[in-house]
Amino acid sequence: MSRRNTGAGLLRSALDSRVPSSSGRRSRRDTPRSSRSLRASQAASRDVSDDDFDDTASIASDSTWLLDEDERELVQEVGDNWEDLLKASLESLNEKRASVREKTLEGIIRLMSHVYIGDGLEGHRVTLLEALQRGTRSSKSAREQQLSLQAIGLWFINFGTGDEAEEEFESVDRQLRKLLEEPEVDAQVQAQAVSTLAIANFISSADYRDAVGLQQFIRGILEDALQERQMEVALQGFSAIGLLLTVLANSDITLAEHQFDEDYELHMRGLKCDSVEVRVAAAQNIAMMHEALSQDRKPFAFDNQYELVGVLEMLKHESNKRLGRRLSVKQRLAMRDVLSTIEDGQAPTLKLTLFNRTLLFDDWVCISRLQTFRAALGGGLPEHLANNGLLQDVFEIELDAPEDTAHSKRRVVVGPSSDLAKLRTLDMRRRRDERHQAMHAEVED
């Protein structure tokens, strides 16, 4: 066996184990996408059943959000040599056999999603990114392109707030736009490229106005996807637009409103397409923008809100026989949440348990961002929330991590009984009550 294959094999073997992680200390970084308006409230941990989730929010009723102990234990233990193994895997990305390169990419994806490596790999970060970029070339197989694009998104989650990140983002942005403009791009490759572009922009772009240009670019892709019934591409298009709108909503609400006006008809088309996942993504973007535009002023109303509510009500009550029970329940609960936001100003509450604490996410901007990182990181989300300064800045999560050991469990600093937590809860209730009263007063007039 060659040295290259040995490196890839060691990496895959290490990543197949189920031993707890020994990730080193994290270092906080400033990120242009941090937002003081985002809150992650903390509450005492408790056992949460599927029924409990169904009673509170459809977002959280999805089983992919229930992070059990086995998933946390999946965080990999590769000792002090994980960095050496990752460097060795770079050689395997130059192998002539596509199957070897693809297996190596799978191992790299598993590592970067389940272990925060942003404090390591000094001198090899750019080398890794360049190797991943080579895998996106049109001469590669669709599978290798998709895996490389997925790994690039994870590269930005791990390294995207570094000093050179903006320059690297510009390089990736140019390359992926060029890829998406090529004729006959595989649908899965196209969908992953859209997702990776949005993640890279969110993390590493220095100017929030860059989100406008990317949103306009994705708009064209989304229009074609809806026309050609490419639901996977359409789903990633709506998800990417939602993530970019979170940037604008917290930076320039007038610009965000203008951008959403441009996309509103696309979202209405999304509500009427065949895919439940696409309908839900479009509806949640609408709810997020309604919530953002209703903040600190008279409750917002879309120009054709009567038609919009009618479509949402129809989807909420669509027959089980047509969709099947699982999809019907998912759609019904999602539309219930969206209608609750539009009609009563009530956003759902998403609960995630992290190291014996439960984090509460109670606004659509937070939930949209969390969905993006959950899709990218999978079961590695808790590890990144605990160790990755980027995610902690985005969601304003403060964790107390002892400096003398990487194995100690982190704890949330702001507890549910603290004065800060109580003030947050009271303020949230007050604002929701004010919006609810204003909405119903307008209806009576």
Side-chain angles (χ1 to χ4, degrees), residues 159-404:
F159 302 113
T161 58
D163 294 337
E164 300 178 353
E166 185 179 356
E167 181 179 345
E168 302 305 330
F169 160 68
E170 291 174 355
S171 171
V172 168
D173 183 73
R174 287 192 301 270
Q175 181 181 8
L176 298 196
R177 289 189 192 222
K178 183 178 179 180
L179 171 64
L180 287 166
E181 290 171 343
E182 294 178 358
E184 299 182 1
V185 179
D186 179 86
Q188 291 184 334
V189 172
Q190 196 174 19
Q192 186 62 62
V194 168
S195 175
T196 296
L197 261 178
I199 289 173
N201 178 285
F202 177 82
I203 295 172
S204 298
S205 175
D207 190 340
Y208 71 85
R209 288 166 293 190
D210 291 341
V212 175
L214 181 55
Q215 187 174 339
Q216 292 170 344
F217 179 78
I218 292 175
R219 183 182 302 145
I221 296 172
L222 180 54
E223 288 176 344
D224 292 341
L226 291 173
Q227 181 68 29
E228 298 169 10
R229 298 181 180 275
Q230 293 181 324
M231 293 298 101
E232 186 172 3
V233 179
L235 174 60
Q236 294 305 322
F238 280 120
S239 299
I241 285 176
L243 180 63
L244 297 173
L245 283 171
T246 70
V247 176
L248 299 179
N250 282 331
S251 303
D252 187 335
I253 190 61
T254 302
L255 182 57
E257 183 175 4
H258 173 75
Q259 284 297 109
F260 189 69
D261 283 344
E262 296 290 323
D263 293 330
Y264 184 76
E265 288 303 321
L266 278 178
H267 283 76
M268 291 299 293
R269 287 173 58 188
L271 293 177
K272 300 172 184 178
C273 72
D274 294 333
S275 167
V276 169
E277 286 79 8
V278 172
R279 294 174 186 175
V280 170
Q284 290 174 353
N285 284 356
I286 292 171
M288 179 184 68
M289 286 306 301
H290 188 279
E291 180 182 62
L293 293 168
S294 297
Q295 293 287 346
D296 301 322
R297 58 171 163 170
K298 185 177 179 180
F300 181 80
F302 296 107
D303 290 340
N304 61 343
Q305 188 152 307
Y306 181 82
E307 175 190 353
L308 170 63
V309 170
V311 172
L312 294 172
E313 286 284 0
M314 179 188 70
L315 293 174
K316 179 181 175 182
H317 297 290
E318 190 168 8
S319 170
N320 288 355
K321 294 181 180 179
R322 183 175 181 276
L323 298 176
R325 187 179 183 280
R326 184 184 67 83
L327 288 177
S328 179
V329 169
K330 179 176 183 177
Q331 178 171 285
R332 183 175 70 251
L333 295 175
M335 300 308 157
R336 181 197 65 185
D337 288 341
V338 173
L339 283 165
S340 179
T341 298
I342 292 175
E343 296 182 323
D344 300 321
Q346 299 288 326
T349 297
L350 176 60
K351 304 176 184 179
L352 285 179
T353 301
L354 175 66
F355 297 109
N356 300 320
R357 306 293 288 185
T358 297
L359 309 181
L360 305 180
F361 301 86
D362 53 18
D363 66 71
W364 280 107
V365 166
C366 250
I367 290 171
S368 176
R369 293 177 174 187
L370 193 62
Q371 286 177 314
T372 295
F373 286 109
R374 178 64 174 91
L377 296 169
L381 177 63
E383 180 70 9
H384 277 266
L385 284 171
N387 293 288
N388 190 335
L390 164 69
L391 269 67
Q392 294 179 7
D393 287 341
V394 167
F395 298 111
E396 290 192 346
I397 298 172
E398 294 292 339
L399 297 174
D400 180 18
E403 296 186 359
D404 57 343

Side-chain angles (χ1 to χ4, degrees), residues 50-63:
D50 287 351
D51 291 337
D52 289 334
F53 277 128
D54 288 345
D55 289 340
T56 56
S58 67
I59 302 289
S61 67
D62 188 337
S63 61

Side-chain angles (χ1 to χ4, degrees), residues 56-111:
T56 56
S58 67
I59 302 289
S61 67
D62 188 337
S63 61
T64 60
W65 291 96
L66 304 178
L67 306 179
D68 57 27
E69 192 64 31
D70 287 340
E71 230 176 356
R72 296 193 198 100
E73 293 299 321
L74 190 60
V75 176
Q76 307 305 324
E77 169 64 76
V78 291
D80 295 332
N81 67 333
W82 71 261
E83 193 166 350
D84 294 332
L85 294 175
L86 187 55
K87 292 175 184 176
S89 73
L90 291 175
E91 298 184 20
S92 296
L93 292 179
N94 294 319
E95 268 283 345
K96 292 183 178 180
R97 288 179 294 172
S99 60
V100 174
R101 297 196 303 270
E102 290 169 7
K103 287 183 179 297
T104 301
L105 286 167
E106 290 171 355
I108 291 173
I109 288 169
R110 193 171 178 82
L111 173 63

Side-chain angles (χ1 to χ4, degrees), residues 113-141:
S113 62
H114 284 81
V115 179
Y116 172 60
I117 64 174
D119 290 336
L121 215 62
E122 289 291 344
H124 294 272
R125 299 177 184 181
V126 175
T127 303
L128 173 59
L129 180 59
E130 290 174 346
L132 298 176
Q133 286 182 271
R134 288 195 296 271
T136 68
R137 293 172 180 170
S138 57
S139 59
K140 307 293 184 179
S141 69

Side-chain angles (χ1 to χ4, degrees), residues 419-445:
D419 291 338
L420 179 56
K422 291 176 181 177
L423 286 172
R424 285 175 174 172
T425 301
L426 290 173
D427 180 61
M428 179 187 69
R429 290 175 180 172
R430 177 185 60 77
R431 289 188 291 105
R432 286 182 172 177
D433 288 344
E434 288 176 352
R435 289 202 302 268
H436 180 79
Q437 292 170 5
M439 286 179 178
H440 286 275
E442 184 181 49
V443 172
E444 291 175 1
D445 291 343

